[in-house]
Structures are given as C-alpha cells and as structure tokens.
Amino acid sequence: MDKLVINGGKPLFGSIEINGAKNAAVAILPAAILASKNVCNIDNIPNIEDVHCLERIIESLGCKIEVGKNSVVIDSTTINNVNANTEDVRKMRASYYLIGALLGRFKKARVELPGGCPIGVRPIDQHIKGFEALGAKVDITHGCVVVEADRLIGTNIFFDVVSVGATINVMLAATLAEGVTTLENVAKEPHIVDVANFLNSMGANIKGAGTDVIRVVGVKELQGCSYSVIPDQIEAGTYMIAAASCGGEVRLENIIPKHLESISAKLIESGTEIIEDGDCITVKSNGKLKGVNIKTQPYPGFPTDVQQPMSTLLTVAKGRSIISESIWESRFKHVDELKKMGANIKVEGRTAIIDGVDKLTGAVVKATDLRAGAAMVIAGLIADGVTEVLSIEHIDRGYPNIEDKFKALGADIKRVSCSE
Ligand code: EPU
C-alpha cells in the first residue's frame, strides 16, 4: 500500500495536460463489445485502475486486447462468454455497462452486481426498467444481474430519475434492438455524448445525445472503429480547484472549456481568474478566495464529482459557504478528514456549512473514496506542514499520475510505501 506525502503551502505554476475522461472510457470499453466485425482502436484512454480493471474483465470474456500507453485495441469478434463474475467486476461501478453491451449483442448476460465508491445507495432500477421495456427478462440472483431476451424491440422509455448510468446502459442495448427506441429524461453529461459518438462511429444510429431525449434507431450490426475519448471534465475541474486554492498560475491543456463552465463560474465567483484559450484554460489565483454556495446537479449544473475538491477550497475561503449535495446522499465522508486539518464544517443531511478558516494544518488523513481522495490531496497542498494521505488506491482508480502532475506544477508531493 502506498500513501502520498505532501509538504504543503506552495503556490502552483506551470502547465499540465488533462487525460481522457474516466467516465467516458469506462463506458466506451464495454461498448466495444458490441462490434461483431473488425477491431476498435481507442485512443486518449486514461491510465487509471478502473480502466485496467475493465480491460481485464473484457479479456476474461474472450476479447483480444492490446493495451498501449494511452490507447487500447479491442477485438471483440472472439468473445465467447457472457458471464462476467470476476473480482474485478465486483470492484467497480462501471462494470454494469457490460449488461447493456452483452444484452445488445448476445441478447443475454450474467454480470455480478457492481461495486464503486461508497457515496450512498446506488440503485440500478432505472437500468432494469429500460432493459425490461426493450423486452428483456431481468433477474437478480446470487448477487448477479441476469438478463435474457428472445428479441429486443425498440420502444419509448421515460426515466424516473436522470441517471448517467441508466442512459448509457439502455442506449447500449438499444443500438442493436429492432426499430426505434426513444429515451426521455436522460442525462446530458459530456460522456453521454462521447459514448453516443463512439457508437455512431461503430455504425449505430443515435441522435439527440446531449439533450433530454435520445433517439436510437436499431441497426443489424456494429463494427470496430477508431476513436479518441474526450478530455476528462472532472480531472480538469480538480486541477482548476487545486490551482485556485493554492494560488499561482496553472494552464490546463487538452480540455473542452464548455464542459467546465459551471466550475469556472463558481471559481470566478470565489475570486479566481479563468482565461479560456482554444482547448486550454489558465487559472490564476492569489489564493485569497471568498466563500460561495454550491448545489450539485446533473450536467450542465455543478458536477457532484468535484463537490469534494471544491469543499476543500471553501475551507480556506473567507466567510460562509453552503454546499447542497443533491445527487448522492453520502458524499461528505471527507469532512471528518478535513476537520483533522482544522477545517470548520458542519454537515446536516445533504448540506455542508463551511466557515472559512485562515489556514489548514498538515495531518495524517485518508481518502475515503475517489473524489474525497482528490479533496484531501488539495487540502495537503494548501496546508501548513506535512500531510499524509492514506488509502490512495481510491485516487489511483480515477486520477492518472496525480503526484507527477502536481510535481510538474511545483508541488512538494511524493508517493511512498506505507511501510516506510
Ligand atoms: N439512480 C436511481 N436509479 C438508478 C440509477 C441512478 O435512483 O437506476 C439515482 C442515484 O441513486 C443517484 C442519481 O440517480 O442519486 C444519479 O445516479 P447516476 O446513475 O447518474 O450515477 P452513476 O451512473 O452510478 C455516474 C458516475 C459517477 C457520477 C454520477 C453522477 C460513472 C462510472 N460514474 O454514476 O461518478 O457521480 O454518474 O454524475 O460514470 C466519480 O467519477 O467519482 C463518480 C462517482
């Protein structure tokens, strides 16, 4: 086990490149299973544990995989197993996309119930509702989701809640259904559009991704394609928040500024300067910020996935800030860790009330989940003295080379084995 040791209090200067989007990549890899001809050549894949986990799972189904530095070639013509039940499947959330992909291509699948970050109840009732509406029989038995259909037939599906996972999963299954599927009240996150673009490159007929309604005209078969994953909105947002919190001037390259608007708006409100320039953004800050109120919402609202990093920034922003977490019921586990560093935060249900303090002080803290881990790294970067962040396997699930990127910006951060 490793930990990150951070000697905080230094401003950040320099430029870094943002990697491909985790939450797009973890849907696109299972989507590649839908190709019954040719290989998928996928580029801008982030080098993170969730991606490696999915690559192993897909290989275990009989696909041939060639993994490059930031790319992967998937030959799914050789797939011979619709039963995904390895330890890796249980470890991660996005393994549920195997259900939609396998159901679409083979009309059956058996996939262990997914794991993922402990951020609240994570039901999949809307995924199941969609599969059933397409004509599949769905059972949950011995910890597995078992789906089977004679035929999948396009229909109208109105989701009861806006769900990223359900939108993508049902879209995957519908690509090879007979006739037209209309998905209403869908999620509009950038990675929904990216997955739809990937599927269209494979020969699917999907329109409307990025709006409330997606229309999928079923096609007979899909084939491999070449594709590059979009930049990671959440990774970019995390580094923007780090730069604003620490002070300094940081340029982020390979991003889509449009995807970052809600984050930029809050940083500007807090006193940060944001300069957009093509596919780059520069964040300038003197580290003296003021409190802002945040409500997490589905895209284009403020993303829940940067709520935890943003709450770290607000611990040292002047005045009171109120965060309302409207997506996940339990995404404040990092607050107790921030309190060890001197933060003044009170949590009431899904609301956190933060009264800014002059400074945080270094402590031994842990990453309770992926984005909480990023929040604790930022806390370490702004704190006086030394911070040790434990349980960083959570961070490695979603942030490629986090310590190298912060080192490139001048931070004093190193990864060491916990036994040292
Ligand atoms: N929900 C239901 N029923 C469902 C599905 C979802 O009630 O069948 C509820 C959830 O309980 C939650 C809300 O709908 O309250 C939104 O959940 P959603 O399905 O959108 O989340 P997800 O697909 O499980 C993805 C990301 C999360 C991100 C959320 C929201 C992946 C692998 N995960 O999760 O990312 O927080 O969308 O944007 O794409 C992260 O990257 O740190 C992370 C947790």
Side-chain angles (χ1 to χ4, degrees), residues 180-410:
V180 180
T181 302
T182 307
L183 306 177
E184 294 192 61
N185 197 26
V186 295
K188 295 181 278 198
E189 268 65 9
H191 36 290
I192 307 276
V193 180
D194 207 37
V195 178
N197 286 342
F198 174 69
L199 291 167
N200 284 340
S201 305
M202 295 168 79
N205 183 344
I206 302 173
K207 293 201 173 77
T211 75
D212 292 322
V213 183
I214 295 179
R215 191 165 178 270
V216 185
V217 181
V219 295
K220 286 240 157 5
E221 65 174 6
L222 295 175
Q223 54 179 322
C225 65
S226 291
Y227 196 77
S228 183
V229 175
I230 50 163
D232 197 316
Q233 172 207 23
I234 305 303
E235 191 198 14
T238 304
Y239 285 99
M240 287 168 76
I241 292 167
S245 312
C246 293
E249 182 169 339
V250 170
R251 181 176 160 91
L252 304 179
E253 296 170 356
N254 183 34
I255 50 130
I256 299 176
K258 173 90 194 140
H259 295 167
L260 298 165
E261 276 174 352
S262 62
I263 303 167
S264 295
K266 280 294 159 189
L267 289 177
I268 291 168
E269 199 182 319
S270 76
T272 309
E273 196 181 338
I274 306 279
I275 303 149
E276 288 182 16
D277 152 29
D279 63 354
C280 298
I281 250 182
T282 301
V283 180
K284 276 193 196 176
S285 158
N286 59 10
K288 293 189 175 57
L289 303 169
K290 61 174 194 291
V292 292
N293 296 334
I294 303 244
K295 180 171 183 169
T296 63
Q297 282 177 319
Y299 189 83
F302 192 89
T304 171
D305 295 345
V306 289
Q307 176 266 108
Q308 292 157 303
M310 191 67 185
S311 65
T312 299
L313 176 148
L314 296 175
T315 60
V316 290
K318 201 168 167 46
R320 173 167 285 194
S321 304
I322 298 178
I323 299 183
S324 315
E325 172 53 63
S326 61
I327 310 290
W328 299 114
E329 62 188 10
S330 172
R331 216 168 195 185
F332 287 127
K333 292 204 175 114
H334 63 301
V335 163
D336 283 343
E337 304 301 304
L338 286 173
K339 282 185 183 170
K340 290 180 192 162
M341 301 177 73
N344 182 353
I345 311 179
K346 199 160 118 206
V347 174
E348 286 173 5
R350 289 181 171 212
T351 303
I353 301 150
I354 305 178
D355 284 307
V357 294
D358 288 341
K359 61 174 186 193
L360 297 182
T361 49
V364 177
V365 292
K366 64 173 187 283
T368 51
D369 58 70
L370 166 60
R371 309 300 173 187
M376 297 324 298
V377 171
I378 297 173
L381 292 171
I382 55 181
D384 272 3
V386 176
T387 296
E388 291 191 10
V389 184
L390 312 180
S391 302
I392 60 168
E393 62 280 3
H394 289 293
I395 302 177
D396 293 335
R397 286 190 34 226
Y399 288 93
N401 319 60
I402 192 163
E403 71 275 21
D404 293 339
K405 286 190 177 177
F406 277 123
K407 256 189 229 158
L409 297 176

Side-chain angles (χ1 to χ4, degrees), residues 52-89:
H52 301 316
C53 205
L54 261 172
E55 287 165 348
R56 291 191 295 268
I57 298 169
I58 291 173
E59 206 162 26
S60 77
L61 299 176
C63 295
K64 287 195 202 123
I65 305 243
E66 266 173 56
V67 177
K69 186 163 168 265
N70 285 112
S71 63
V72 61
V73 180
I74 302 178
D75 179 353
S76 56
T77 59
T78 52
I79 195 162
N80 53 17
N81 179 11
V82 294
N83 193 355
N85 64 355
T86 60
E87 177 60 29
D88 284 326
V89 180

Side-chain angles (χ1 to χ4, degrees), residues 22-23 26 93-94 96-97 119 121-127 161-166 189 191 304-305 327-328 331 370-371:
K22 161 189 170 274
N23 287 343
V26 297
R93 193 73 200 153
Y96 57 29
Y97 292 134
I119 51 182
V121 186
R122 301 187 75 171
I124 56 165
D125 57 298
Q126 296 304 303
H127 305 230
V161 293
V162 176
S163 159
V164 169
E189 268 65 9
H191 36 290
T304 171
D305 295 345
I327 310 290
W328 299 114
R331 216 168 195 185
L370 166 60
R371 309 300 173 187

